[in-house]
Amino acid sequence: MATWRRDGRLTGGQRLLCAGVAGALSLSLTAPLELATVLAQVGARRGRARGPWAEGLRVWRAEGPRALWKGNAVACLRLFPCSAVQLAAYRKFVMLFTDDLGHISQWRSIMAGSLAGMVSTVVTYPTDLIKTRLTVQNLLEPSYRGIFHAFSTVYQQEGFLALYRGVSLTVLGALPFSAGSLLVYMNLERIWNGPRDRFSLLQNFANVCLAAAVTQTLSFPFDTVKRNMQRTQAEVEPLGLACCLYPLCHRIAQRSYIRSCKIKCQQQLGSNMEEKKKKKTDAGKPR
């Protein structure tokens, strides 16, 4: 059980600036990894490269080192409105979940953070779609000349709702994300065999990495389908959630069908062998 207290050491603008600068620095450092992950998710060059590392190497060789930071500018720009909305929403959710004595439990605090992150992501979702479009395109033959050109092109050619294509996956992916966060933080005392308020700096860093790994693993399938919906133009291939999930379900069903056919063939072959052995045994018996 924790007590909600307002931190008066920094103003709202200073907290927003710190969150934006820290986020922009981390995004810029990890931009090549993000690009390789997105390209592997959408299968931009299916058959030519396998895995994120091969995709990143292919982009380096084909488009140059600058291409590894495709879409990073819009990702950094969206941090400031996203952080502002998230901080405001988190404060509202915390006040909503706080009891009359000013206390808030650990799981309610995590739930407030998850809901605030979901609200900020939905509000700034068009920038995430533009980031995916800029990441997927080839810099040698670009479809969009920049951030504002991408916004105007998508709005004029595909409509306003195209800017929110795949937003339902963001809402659905927040459920396993919250569940993963709760799963990790509720078991930290068992993992470290000690109270949370006595964790060292290294233990807190390990806790954040562990929580991020679990939550990303649980919500990654939703993110993969969302990226495939974001990169698709409506006039070329109007994909929806069901259309994106269909190939995966079809492959699973196909593999299950092949497996069941193999089992049936093995059973039929075994029964045929038994019948042949029985006939040979009956034929060899004296009458």
Side-chain angles (χ1 to χ4, degrees), residues 154-176:
V154 173
Y155 177 76
Q156 293 175 4
Q157 295 183 359
E158 306 175 40
F160 176 77
L161 293 180
L163 295 172
Y164 286 89
R165 186 176 297 126
V167 69
S168 59
L169 272 300
T170 301
V171 178
L172 293 177
L175 300 178

Side-chain angles (χ1 to χ4, degrees), residues 6-140:
R6 185 185 299 273
D7 189 359
R9 293 175 296 179
L10 296 175
T11 63
Q14 289 175 335
R15 286 195 297 268
L16 178 61
L17 180 62
C18 291
V21 172
L25 179 61
S26 62
L27 282 177
S28 299
L29 292 176
T30 60
L33 298 177
E34 176 69 14
L35 177 134
T37 302
V38 172
L39 292 181
Q41 285 178 318
V42 302
R45 294 297 182 102
R46 197 180 299 268
R48 292 190 179 185
R50 297 180 180 179
W53 301 109
E55 286 285 357
L57 183 61
R58 180 191 60 79
V59 171
W60 174 288
R61 292 175 177 176
E63 306 175 42
R66 188 173 67 91
L68 296 178
W69 277 265
K70 291 189 296 183
N72 186 58
V74 65
C76 293
L77 288 177
R78 74 186 294 265
L79 279 175
F80 291 94
C82 185
S83 299
V85 175
Q86 186 171 2
L87 288 174
Y90 180 71
R91 186 177 301 173
K92 294 296 183 181
F93 283 122
V94 166
M95 298 303 295
L96 181 63
F97 293 153
T98 303
D99 58 16
D100 296 335
L101 299 177
H103 297 154
I104 183 172
S105 61
Q106 184 72 29
W107 72 270
R108 286 189 177 184
S109 178
I110 296 174
M111 186 62 66
S114 301
L115 291 175
M118 183 174 63
V119 170
S120 62
T121 302
V122 172
V123 171
T124 60
Y125 186 82
T127 57
D128 187 48
L129 182 136
I130 297 302
K131 172 183 174 296
T132 301
R133 294 288 183 93
L134 295 175
T135 300
V136 172
Q137 75 171 358
N138 191 336
L139 284 184
L140 302 180

